[in-house]
Amino acid sequence: MAHARALPAVEAWLQGQDVAFPWRSRRKALAADLAALGQEMPEPLPFDLPDDEATGWGALYVTEGSRLGGVMLARQVGEEFPRAYLESGFGSGEWRAFRHALDDAAVDPAWIDRAVAAAEQVFGLYRRAA
């Protein structure tokens, strides 16, 4: 349920950002899994970051990186449980492409500092949601 309180908030914020990477929302997969378990999506937590390219990349790093963990967790979930959200991983080469795009976008140490600060704020949102 923690991801259901955090992910939609971050994705809604990311929708308004100019991040040059074709990320895909996982909100519908998460909602479908919860519905299969007889649960509704909870209200997302309040979330906002400054409008800044580096900040967008930092937030995206967390949401896209969690796809990797989800795929690992999906292997441990029994067949009788919904796993659409956890199985929303990357296609072949997509994580590598994301990392390269992130590296190419990083223009200077201040940019990297803003991206890291945003990533930490997104991790903090997930921690609060838990």
Side-chain angles (χ1 to χ4, degrees):
M1 198 59 87
H3 276 234
R5 296 180 70 213
L7 180 81
V10 178
E11 286 188 349
W13 180 83
L14 281 167
Q15 289 288 342
Q17 300 307 302
D18 186 23
V19 178
F21 187 78
W23 65 278
R24 298 177 310 276
S25 173
R26 292 182 292 155
R27 185 189 183 289
K28 288 182 182 177
L30 182 54
D33 283 354
L34 286 175
L37 294 169
Q39 301 289 319
E40 292 185 23
M41 286 288 284
E43 285 294 318
L45 292 175
F47 181 73
D48 195 27
L49 292 172
D51 286 341
D52 175 83
E53 181 191 23
T55 301
W57 278 100
L60 193 58
Y61 174 82
V62 176
T63 60
E64 293 298 280
S66 75
R67 290 177 186 272
L68 298 173
V71 170
M72 300 299 287
L73 290 172
R75 296 177 187 156
Q76 299 173 25
V77 174
E79 293 289 327
E80 69 275 15
F81 295 107
R83 298 184 307 219
Y85 176 66
L86 294 177
E87 291 178 339
S88 297
F90 290 106
S92 179
E94 284 182 320
W95 176 244
R96 187 177 313 110
F98 173 78
R99 288 191 345 255
H100 288 302
L102 174 60
D103 288 343
D104 290 345
V107 294
D108 58 40
W111 190 101
I112 294 168
D113 289 345
R114 291 192 312 276
V116 168
E120 289 172 343
Q121 289 179 346
V122 174
F123 279 123
L125 176 69
Y126 278 87
R127 204 171 20 256
R128 286 192 313 277

